[in-house]
Amino acid sequence: MPKPITLLVEGESDRGALVALAPRFGVDLEAEQITVTVIGGAGNFGRAIAEAAAQGHRVGGLYDEAEERFVAGALNRQEGEDLTRQGFFACRPDLELELARAMGVAAMTSLLEANGDLKKFRDFQNQPAHRDDEALGQLRRFVSATGSRKATYAALMAETVPFEVVPEPMAGLLGWIWSS
């Protein structure tokens, strides 16, 4: 019987996105004994990796590129080393921008409209602090402005992003599940 797998993520939005995307890759998390565990911040990777490994699990995960030092340290690696062979994939700079880039401004705007948030987004865009930002940056900040919105939209983006442009970190992690 294959080892159970624990996928570590920093927050609820990352978890929501992976849970939403897994079925699109043919991954039945429950049937394949895969748990997606929120660790509550990158500083907890060391503890979480050690705990899951001690339980006999294969361990992988997603992290924001600015937090690489925590993951590399937990894996006894140096920053800048390729951590993907050990099952850890960096989002550049974070999952929300990876997904927004993959979807594009038009699809993101449609997603906001379909979920009743387009007017709020337009108001956000018109604020002096955001007015001169690029549209993708505005979308990222808007989606990430509140924890509940961030989690909701991460899952919605993962459900709707065209399969052929799923961000590499997410596709890589879900592909890693089947590697040795």
Side-chain angles (χ1 to χ4, degrees), residues 4-180:
I5 297 173
T6 297
L7 302 178
L8 303 174
V9 294
E10 293 181 54
E12 286 296 335
S13 62
D14 306 309
R15 181 184 187 290
L18 275 178
V19 168
L21 190 59
R24 295 181 64 195
F25 274 75
V27 177
D28 182 333
L29 296 172
E30 187 175 330
E32 297 177 45
Q33 299 182 59
I34 301 169
T35 57
V36 181
T37 302
V38 174
I39 63 169
N44 295 320
F45 270 110
R47 175 194 49 79
I49 290 170
E51 287 175 2
Q55 294 173 4
H57 292 211
R58 282 183 69 213
V59 186
L62 290 177
Y63 61 94
D64 293 345
E65 76 177 330
E67 311 299 347
E68 184 171 276
R69 68 190 181 280
F70 295 110
V71 181
L75 297 171
N76 295 316
R77 299 285 179 247
Q78 299 294 315
E79 276 188 75
E81 280 190 56
D82 180 4
L83 304 178
T84 61
R85 282 182 266 149
Q86 289 183 273
F88 287 86
F89 296 80
C91 297
R92 304 195 190 287
D94 58 29
L95 182 67
E96 291 74 30
L97 188 56
E98 289 269 10
L99 285 165
R101 268 194 308 252
M103 289 189 62
V105 173
M108 283 295 299
T109 303
S110 295
L111 188 63
L112 292 172
E113 184 173 28
N115 287 280
D117 283 326
L118 187 57
K119 182 183 179 334
K120 288 179 195 171
F121 175 63
R122 295 296 185 213
D123 291 343
F124 178 87
Q125 282 184 301
N126 287 322
Q127 293 175 3
H130 307 293
R131 200 173 289 151
D132 295 330
D133 296 342
E134 292 183 13
L136 279 174
Q138 291 171 332
L139 286 161
R140 173 183 172 228
R141 282 190 232 13
F142 178 76
V143 165
S144 299
T146 68
S148 61
R149 184 185 301 153
K150 187 175 178 178
T152 297
Y153 277 99
L156 288 171
M157 289 186 285
E159 288 172 357
T160 58
V161 66
F163 192 78
E164 63 275 6
V165 294
V166 168
E168 175 53 36
M170 299 179 79
L173 179 59
L174 291 168
W176 171 84
I177 289 170
W178 289 294
S179 67
S180 59

